[in-house]
Each structure stands twice: as C-alpha cells, then as structure tokens.
Amino acid sequence: MADPSNPSQPAALLPLPTMEQEHAPIVPSLLNPASARAPSKTPGPAATPIQREQREKKESLKKRESNPNGTTASTLGKRKANAAHAYPSPQRFNVPPPRPQDFEAPKEDIMVSHEPLPLEMPDGERQLYKPIDLAENKKGYRYQRAIADPLFPHKQFYRCTSPPPHYSRLSFEDADRYMHYSTNALITTNEKGWRMVRSNVCAREGTLYYEVKIHRGVPTEGPAEQAVNGPQPHVRFGFARREAPLDAPVGFDGYSYGISDIRFEPMHRSRPAKFFHPKKGKAKGAKAAAAAPTPVTLAPDDQNVKEGDVIGLELQLPSLTLHQKIVSGVYNPAVDIGDGFDQPTAYLEPGAEGNLDIIRDRIPVPYKGNSYFEILDHVPTRPMELYTDRQTNLANLQAATPGSAASKDQLKTPPNPNHEHPSLRTLPHSALRIYKNGRLIGTAFENLLAFLPPASAPSKTMGAREGFDDGLVGYFPAVSCFWGGVAEVNFGDGKEGGFWAAPAHLAAHANRPRTNTSSSSSRDHATGNGLAADVEMAMGGLLRGDAGGLGFDASGSKRGWNPGRLCRAIGERYKEQVAEDVVWDVVDEVDFFMQDGGFEGRVGSGAAEAETGVAGAGRLKEEGE
C-alpha cells in the first residue's frame, strides 16, 4: 500500500467519478499537480445520481387568499414533507424511528422551588413552584405532548397524549417561563412584570363558564399608593387566542379580551372600556343600531376586584357552522339570523364547506426525556396589527385613496362580520359576561373576533400551510399576573366539584355530583394502556349515564349534541378534547394506511403506485426513494 507521507512513492489512485472526470483540468498546474486526488478517509454514503430539488412554485397573495385550502407542499422547519395529495391530508415528515423510551407513558412534570426565597400563598400553607425541562411555546411555535404507540404504524407511531394531572388546568407549556404554579396547576403567580398563562382547554362554540379567585392583588381596604409603596401586585384574567403574546397581560392586543382588577374595567387592545347591558329587541334605523349601549355604573364596593373576590366569566360563541360561513365570506345577515345551532352541521353554503376537515401538520421531536409534537403556530396578521395600533381610531376611520401607498396600511371599516380581511370579521351572537361573587355585573364585550382559519394563519415565511383548522383554535381561559399577584382558577371539574359562586342559571348544572375517574386513568397510564385511559377519560361520563353529561339538556333528557344554549363549565371541554384527539389520530392512521396501499397494496392511493413499482417495499414512503 502506498505511503502518503512519501511523495516519491506512487499512490494507488481510484477512478474518478463521472462528474469529476468531466471537469478535471487537462494540463496539471502547481496548485493542481495531478488530475486525481487521494481517497477520503471519511466514509461517505452510497453513490447516487445527483438530482436537483425542484423549486416550489410560489403563488400570489391574491390567489392564496382565494384558495385557503390549497394543497401546496410546504416544509415545517427544515424537515421536508412528502408529496401533497388531491384531498386535504396531514403531512408526513422524514423523522427517525421512535426510540424504546418514546413508548413509555409521559412523565410527570418536574417542579422546583423558587430561589433564593420560595413563593408562597398569602396564608403560607402552600408553596408555588416552577416547572422545568419543558418545551415552552414560543412565537411561531407550539408544542404538544406525544407518545409512540405500536397501534399507529402508518402515522409514524406517534399520537397525542398528556401528562398528569388529567383534568382542565393551567398549561405549563403554554405559559411564560417566569410563571409559578401550585402542584395542582390551578394557582399561579409571577414575581416580574406582566406575564400570562393559558389553560389546556379552549372554547370553540357554545356558552362556557369559569371562575377566578384573587388571593393577592388589590387589598380589601382599597388600592395602595404606588408612589409611596412601589409597584403593587395585580391580576388580569379573561380569554386569549394562541396569537396573544405570553409576555403581556390579557387584553394587550386584539387577540385577547381581559378584565383588570384595578378599576374593574374590560380591556381589549390595551384600551379600557365599561360594562353594559345589551339592548333588548331589534334596533330601528341605522343610528339606533350604531348607538352605544348605556354603560353600567359600578357600586362603590365594585370599583375594584379585591383579594377574596370571585369573578365569573361566561363566554358565548355561535356554532362552528355559522362561524365557518363568516370566515369563508358567505355570511348573509338577512338569511343567517340565528346562532347556527338549529341548522344541521352537515349543511353549509357553497364556498364554506371546504374547511370542515381537521388537518394537523406536526413533527414528533424528543426533548429532555419527553416526546412532543412541534407545530407551526399562528402569528399576528398585518390587519390585526393595524387594528391594535394605538393610533387607530375606529370611530373616525378615513378611507384611503385607491392606489396610494397608505391604502394597504390603513383600515377602511371597523371589524364586522363581512369585513374585507378575515382576521377582522366578528361573530354575531357572541359575548363575554362578567359576574362578581355570583352577581351579574354586565356584558364586557360583544361581537368577538372570529378565530377559525383564515382568520388565524401561521407564518408564511416558515412555510406552513394556511387555511387548516387543527382542532385547538379558539379562545383559551387566560390569567396574567404582575409583581407577585396570585390568582386561582376553577374550571368546574375539580375533585370537590362545582364552582365557588356560580350564577343562578348555572348552579344546578355546575354543582351536580361527579364521579372521579382520575385514579383509574392514572393506573392505566402507569400500566402502559395510554389509549385506553384516554378513551375512558373522555367517555366515562357518557357511559355512566350522568344526567348532566354531554348530550343531555337541562331537564336531563337525551336530545343529541347541542352545547349552544346551555351554559356549561369549561372544564367539560377537557374530556371532549381528549375524545377528539383520539378520533383524529385514528382518522389520520386510516388515511395514511390507505395512502400506503391498504391491505397488500390493493386499496387506496398507494395501490396504483405499487402496480407501477413506485411505492417502496417499506410501510412508509420515505423521501428520496
């Protein structure tokens, strides 16, 4: 064998590849003494013909807005997806096979005490901790727990799951990193400026209710002087969408609706408002319809939300059927009069039936001993930024001259159900009502902004597909704390059951006795039967035949699924979301099973490819085969 350290000894040269032979110099030079080079000691992959990646055809913005369900293939991060299909379908990405530890049940979150001094409740009986080693949601990215399951081989084995405790609570991943919690994840605080945390349940349709109790905030004797005593603890609460920033209070921008403890004011777009009682009956004339309702004059005891007060928040949303008409641009106020719950969900106007599918583009990624789904999250849109801007006065909008440079960066009309921008379309029959210690204070907001795609859109620069609903788009209960403010939430599904100060129309439904199934669910997860635990958790109330369960009206008789006009605890959404995740995981597995050829390549879109030899011998079609 030739010695490379001895230049006089000729080296055994290997034949050059075809491409190097074509571009090799004819005459050797000082910088290139030989037309061949020594073989590399680094092992390389098998020689394959170099194929140039086909460029993705970019569509114009106008064409993308007209076709929100476009099936153009995209990328999630730097991982490439397989080819798109003619029908809406989730993307499969090139990911490594699951590890043995990925099949284990999700581990409990690790929580550490605050240093150097622990954060405690005002009574000193409970301590608040900070969760660590979590994949936290950031701007443009969202993370959801995943687990590998051998029953889902065609969708790369991964499906949804959640760590204990298994009930509606504050989310550790969907929160700012400085938030601290109690061990049951129902009490939160923050020692710095405004920070926010969202819950693990979201409201999409119907009337849902939850409560907030203030443990540290405005003192019972009234607000203290900030100039003398320095910053004081405060709390805000309300509902927020996924686009709302976590390092800001609830009500900071157009993506959240909040209530402040000081002065007890509704907050939206960082602008305070007043409570009001909606007018009964139909307004006659344009002036009467545009007139603002009479604000509510708060009593002296209600000027602030003080420590020990219980605030109830009741969110009312129309049906997803009506919601879909609005975001699709086919809403007609002369025809669509009601809230949509009386209309069959299978019927939609032409042009609005294309967005009913639940499409979830997710990549399983490992992080510090746990598995997560990485999702390209929704980001604020330009029209919403103009709507939130402090210089935008909705009461005095001036139409820009067509063709001018300012016409694209100026709102022409305030938000309405038929706005030109989908993100600024509002939902009729939607409202947020506020209760204090069981008494109705008034309505804080009406005609809330729509959230279904394309009203909510992911980042275009990251290559995410637009116009798809992943099933978790909606309004989340949210709490934000400032300078040590402490608040506790009650979603109505705790072990003790019921609310602290439920209103009269909700007390009979919310305070019904409940059967606790958390022990059996935890036992199933411990034994590895995660899917069985998720199904039992979601369907336990229905199988037991509780009169207050899902699908029953206030009288206790079974009348089908109609959550619209019955005010429910938002904690009931947790079991519904678990059941929805199970169903959608099964649907995705069946979809990929058909794409891979079905049984022995005889069924589905993969069958035709198997006949022509396109489909590989493996179960999954890997990129580059």
Side-chain angles (χ1 to χ4, degrees):
M1 183 175 180
D3 184 9
S5 61
N6 187 4
S8 62
Q9 184 179 1
L13 302 178
L14 298 177
L16 289 173
T18 305
M19 179 171 292
E20 294 191 8
Q21 289 180 2
E22 294 178 354
H23 299 281
I26 300 177
V27 179
S29 63
L30 296 177
L31 298 180
N32 187 32
S35 60
R37 56 187 175 186
S40 174
K41 297 181 180 180
T42 303
T48 55
I50 299 178
Q51 298 180 357
R52 186 173 182 179
E53 184 179 359
Q54 187 177 1
R55 295 178 58 187
E56 181 180 356
K57 184 178 180 181
K58 299 293 184 180
E59 297 179 349
S60 62
L61 177 61
K62 186 175 182 181
K63 188 173 182 180
R64 289 197 301 268
E65 290 180 350
S66 62
N67 184 22
N69 283 336
T71 55
T72 304
S74 61
T75 60
L76 193 57
K78 295 184 178 180
R79 301 170 175 85
K80 298 182 180 179
N82 292 340
H85 301 273
Y87 57 89
S89 178
Q91 294 179 335
R92 281 189 293 184
F93 300 87
N94 254 352
V95 296
R99 304 165 300 175
Q101 57 266 31
D102 295 338
F103 292 88
E104 300 176 358
K107 303 179 179 62
E108 294 188 11
D109 296 319
I110 302 175
M111 307 184 73
V112 297
S113 177
H114 180 268
E115 294 181 356
L117 299 177
L119 296 179
E120 296 180 349
M121 295 284 292
D123 54 10
E125 296 180 358
R126 284 175 291 181
Q127 185 177 346
L128 304 180
Y129 304 89
K130 178 182 178 180
I132 60 174
D133 296 342
L134 297 177
E136 302 169 347
N137 294 349
K138 301 178 182 179
K139 186 176 181 180
Y141 289 93
R142 181 179 179 85
Y143 295 93
Q144 185 179 8
R145 286 294 183 95
I147 185 174
D149 194 328
L151 299 178
F152 296 85
H154 292 270
K155 64 187 305 289
Q156 298 167 304
F157 296 99
Y158 289 94
R159 63 169 178 86
C160 294
T161 187
S162 62
H166 298 294
Y167 50 79
S168 58
R169 55 179 176 83
L170 298 176
S171 174
F172 295 155
E173 292 85 3
D174 200 8
D176 188 84
R177 64 178 60 185
Y178 293 105
M179 300 299 291
H180 289 67
Y181 313 87
S182 58
T183 54
N184 60 1
L186 296 177
I187 305 176
T188 183
T189 187
N190 165 48
E191 62 173 345
K192 298 183 178 294
W194 284 113
R195 299 292 191 273
M196 184 171 66
V197 54
R198 285 184 285 258
S199 69
N200 62 349
V201 291
C202 72
R204 290 168 57 87
E205 64 176 351
T207 304
L208 300 167
Y209 176 89
Y210 84 98
E211 291 178 343
V212 177
K213 179 184 291 186
I214 308 302
H215 290 282
R216 182 183 290 126
V218 178
T220 55
E221 60 272 11
E225 292 292 338
Q226 181 174 350
V228 178
N229 302 324
Q232 300 299 311
H234 292 287
V235 176
R236 288 189 189 179
F237 36 85
F239 287 87
R241 289 160 58 181
R242 285 158 46 171
E243 297 92 331
L246 296 174
D247 56 351
V250 186
F252 172 75
D253 56 5
Y255 290 104
S256 60
Y257 297 87
I259 305 296
S260 63
D261 59 349
I262 190 74
R263 294 184 299 274
F264 198 17
E265 294 176 328
M267 297 292 294
H268 181 59
R269 303 189 303 154
S270 297
R271 294 169 172 85
K274 298 295 183 182
F275 295 104
F276 63 91
H277 292 299
K279 296 182 178 180
K280 297 181 180 180
K282 297 182 179 179
K284 298 181 180 180
K287 294 183 179 180
T294 304
V296 174
T297 302
L298 297 178
D301 294 339
D302 295 334
Q303 296 292 334
N304 300 283
V305 179
K306 303 177 183 179
E307 296 177 353
D309 287 337
V310 176
I311 305 300
L313 298 95
E314 181 181 0
L315 179 65
Q316 178 183 350
L317 295 172
S319 68
L320 292 178
T321 304
L322 181 63
H323 196 155
Q324 192 60 58
K325 292 183 179 181
I326 294 173
V327 297
S328 300
V330 298
Y331 170 74
N332 186 355
V335 178
D336 303 316
I337 301 176
D339 54 8
F341 287 104
D342 294 329
Q343 187 176 5
T345 56
Y347 172 77
L348 281 175
E349 297 291 339
E353 69 277 0
N355 295 342
L356 294 177
D357 296 309
I358 300 298
I359 305 297
R360 304 175 297 173
D361 291 336
R362 310 173 300 179
I363 295 180
V365 293
Y367 183 76
K368 295 193 175 181
N370 293 311
S371 297
Y372 292 87
F373 282 122
E374 185 181 74
I375 307 166
L376 287 184
D377 204 1
H378 300 148
V379 295
T381 60
R382 180 57 181 167
M384 182 64 77
E385 293 176 352
L386 297 176
Y387 169 70
T388 308
D389 193 277
R390 296 290 296 179
Q391 298 180 357
T392 302
N393 186 5
L394 299 179
N396 188 20
L397 291 178
Q398 298 179 358
T401 305
S404 62
S407 60
K408 296 182 180 180
D409 294 335
Q410 184 174 343
L411 297 181
K412 301 177 182 178
T413 57
N416 59 82
N418 297 104
H419 201 277
E420 60 177 338
H421 299 294
S423 57
L424 294 182
R425 293 173 185 168
T426 58
L427 299 175
H429 308 283
S430 63
L432 177 58
R433 290 179 285 273
I434 304 301
Y435 300 82
K436 183 177 181 181
N437 299 326
R439 297 180 294 105
L440 175 64
I441 298 298
T443 301
F445 304 99
E446 277 187 330
N447 301 322
L448 279 67
L449 293 173
F451 53 82
L452 285 182
S456 299
S459 175
K460 300 177 183 178
T461 59
M462 297 181 183
R465 298 195 297 177
E466 302 176 26
F468 291 112
D469 179 15
D470 61 4
L472 285 178
V473 185
Y475 283 101
F476 293 77
V479 177
S480 54
C481 301
F482 176 85
W483 209 260
V486 180
E488 182 178 2
V489 295
N490 186 351
F491 296 134
D493 63 340
K495 294 182 180 180
E496 66 279 359
F499 289 102
W500 297 309
H505 67 281
L506 180 65
H509 177 72
N511 292 327
R512 69 184 187 274
R514 301 170 185 268
T515 303
N516 185 17
T517 59
S518 59
S519 59
S520 61
S521 301
S522 303
R523 185 166 55 252
D524 289 336
H525 276 284
T527 56
N529 298 326
L531 181 60
D534 292 341
V535 174
E536 194 278 335
M537 191 190 316
M539 305 301 293
L542 296 180
L543 297 178
R544 289 191 303 270
D546 294 340
L550 306 179
F552 294 87
D553 61 6
S555 63
S557 59
K558 181 74 174 178
R559 299 186 183 276
W561 172 248
N562 186 354
R565 299 182 181 89
L566 178 64
C567 183
R568 305 184 297 141
I570 199 170
E572 297 182 8
R573 282 287 300 149
Y574 179 78
K575 294 183 179 180
E576 296 173 17
Q577 290 178 182
V578 172
E580 291 167 359
D581 283 336
V582 172
V583 171
W584 295 330
D585 284 334
V586 173
V587 171
D588 292 344
E589 173 67 14
V590 173
D591 182 14
F592 294 145
F593 170 74
M594 299 294 288
Q595 295 179 22
D596 293 338
F599 293 100
E600 299 180 356
R602 295 177 297 181
V603 182
S605 59
E609 299 178 356
E611 295 178 358
T612 58
V614 177
R619 176 169 286 170
L620 297 176
K621 293 178 284 186
E622 299 290 341
E623 183 182 1
E625 291 184 353

